[in-house]
Amino acid sequence: MHLKPLLGLAALAVAVLGSPHAYAQAADQPAYGSELQGFEYPYPVAHYHFTSQGQELDMAYLDVKPQSPNGQIAMLLHGKNFCAATWEGTIKALSEAGYRVIAPDQIGFCKSSKPERYQFTFQQLAGNSRALLASLGIERSIVVGHSTGGMLAMRYALMYPDAVDRLVLVDPIGLEDWKAKGVPWLSLDGWMQRETRVSADSIRAYERATYYADTWDPSYETWVQMLAGMYRGPGRAAVASSSARLYDMIATQPVFYEFEKITPPTLLMIGDKDTTAIGKDTAPPEIRKMLGNYPVLGKEAVKRIPHAQLIEFPDLGHSPQIQAPGRFHEALLAWLKHPETGASQVK
């Protein structure tokens, strides 16, 4: 099948989505720029300027230094529908415990550049993240990844094992190979068509079902509007084009077959009510019901990853750090302090 050029993807978004200003006014909801201009982050935003694939890029990031440093640094990697800002509670918990926290917005996401011609790979994003830390004089760190950030964290640990002190995977996607299980391939045009249907209502419904296990708190709405606002703004075509290519990256670049090569001490933190699986809705019904079974996936993964431990939250969904921050951060900090025994102490 012939794929449109990437510029054509952006043009398709403009054609189908129509006027972003009209949409924002009709919905009476916030509209943000393509780099999330207008949305306030909980900590000051810094910028790392670098060249990649022949393009000048800007990676936004948070660098939160603790009042009483313990000498350790944690890099937090956000998920597909998340940003550095959604780590707000975790940044606070870690910094109060003495950790310096670096939380980047990956290229293609949130407040960072969204280049029209960029080959998104987990290796490239890992390399960008490593270069960011190097620019700050950081050689080693704890790496914490959530959702798609969990896939990225695993790739980072595989590429730079000597730079990772400990690895924490929070409901990471990629614990199964969706394509191998029967999820149909989707072209870039197909992912872009899906992007044209994104709205605050669709985001909210999906997050309620998977991220928060069919529960809802008004505080979650901030993160719905953060994402939806970029689809209402003047840069919505660039946002949709980046998102489509990122979904293609996730669907076609499994890390599943390399778990045995992950060497740092690793903690899996799994909300058992999570059902996330990329492309699940496109699979035949008999396949769909087999996907995203996180209680099984977590147990299978921890057997394959050397030096790994598992903490399960039976009543939580895809985002336990947001849904139950007190319990989550207590468990995280206990393991970081005692990685040999911390998981066993969590009730």
Side-chain angles (χ1 to χ4, degrees):
M1 177 180 179
H2 175 68
L3 295 179
K4 295 180 176 66
L6 297 182
L7 184 60
L9 289 175
L12 175 63
V14 172
V16 179
L17 291 170
S19 167
H21 300 290
Y23 180 81
Q25 293 168 1
D28 194 27
Q29 296 287 353
Y32 303 122
S34 64
E35 296 178 9
L36 206 49
Q37 296 93 334
F39 184 89
E40 191 110 5
Y41 273 23
Y43 298 95
V45 178
H47 295 269
Y48 170 52
H49 301 282
F50 66 108
T51 301
S52 176
Q53 299 183 20
Q55 301 175 73
E56 297 297 319
L57 301 177
D58 174 15
M59 180 185 286
Y61 67 96
L62 305 179
D63 183 355
V64 181
K65 299 178 176 67
Q67 290 187 348
S68 302
N70 63 12
Q72 300 182 73
I73 298 166
M75 178 170 64
L76 309 184
L77 304 177
H78 63 76
K80 172 65 177 66
N81 294 327
F82 298 82
C83 299
T86 52
W87 283 117
E88 179 178 4
T90 304
I91 293 172
K92 182 175 185 293
L94 287 171
S95 62
E96 288 179 351
Y99 297 88
R100 178 182 176 183
V101 181
I102 310 295
D105 278 344
Q106 296 297 325
I107 296 301
F109 294 86
C110 309
K111 289 187 177 290
S112 291
S113 299
K114 296 174 181 63
E116 289 184 355
R117 296 172 299 280
Y118 200 70
Q119 183 184 22
F120 286 114
T121 68
F122 282 109
Q123 286 87 345
Q124 180 70 73
L125 297 186
N128 295 347
S129 301
R130 184 77 186 102
L132 167 63
L133 293 188
S135 76
L136 299 172
I138 298 171
E139 291 297 321
R140 300 181 60 86
S141 67
I142 298 162
V143 178
V144 182
H146 169 238
S147 190
T148 299
M151 274 188 92
L152 176 57
M154 287 186 274
R155 180 57 61 197
Y156 187 96
L158 288 163
M159 292 173 65
Y160 310 109
D162 294 335
V164 180
D165 287 323
R166 276 155 287 169
L167 179 64
V168 180
L169 307 173
V170 183
D171 283 82
I173 61 171
L175 296 182
E176 57 189 332
D177 183 344
W178 308 290
K179 182 178 72 69
K181 286 190 171 181
V183 173
W185 173 77
L186 196 61
S187 70
L188 276 175
D189 290 331
W191 286 115
M192 179 56 75
Q193 286 290 346
R194 291 167 68 95
E195 287 297 300
T196 65
R197 299 192 291 272
V198 172
S199 69
D201 288 342
S202 70
I203 294 168
R204 189 183 304 108
Y206 178 73
E207 292 189 357
R208 181 194 295 268
T210 59
Y211 294 2
Y212 309 117
D214 287 320
T215 66
W216 192 256
D217 184 277
S219 64
Y220 305 157
E221 188 66 20
T222 297
W223 312 126
V224 171
Q225 297 302 329
M226 174 189 71
L227 185 59
M230 288 191 290
Y231 285 86
R232 301 187 189 105
R236 64 200 310 213
V239 172
S241 175
S242 288
S243 182
R245 285 175 284 141
L246 286 161
Y247 271 123
D248 180 74
M249 174 190 77
I250 295 165
T252 60
Q253 298 176 28
V255 72
F256 174 77
Y257 302 102
E258 300 173 71
F259 290 172
E260 287 80 5
K261 299 177 183 178
I262 296 174
T263 58
T266 300
L267 175 66
L268 272 77
M269 306 183 77
I270 300 294
D272 283 344
K273 290 189 177 295
D274 190 359
T275 59
T276 304
I278 301 302
K280 181 178 180 178
D281 59 310
T282 67
E286 64 274 14
I287 300 296
R288 193 180 311 155
K289 63 185 179 183
M290 299 168 52
L291 302 172
N293 188 341
Y294 270 76
V296 171
L297 295 174
K299 292 180 179 68
E300 290 178 345
V302 80
K303 292 177 183 176
R304 294 179 53 205
I305 300 174
H307 318 298
Q309 299 181 52
L310 174 66
I311 293 176
E312 294 180 85
F313 302 98
D315 58 328
L316 302 183
H318 187 62
S319 300
Q321 77 278 22
I322 298 174
Q323 190 180 3
R327 289 160 53 196
F328 175 85
H329 294 125
E330 181 180 6
L332 173 62
L333 291 170
W335 184 82
L336 289 176
K337 189 173 182 180
H338 299 290
E340 301 83 7
T341 59
S344 63
Q345 297 174 6
V346 176
K347 302 298 183 184

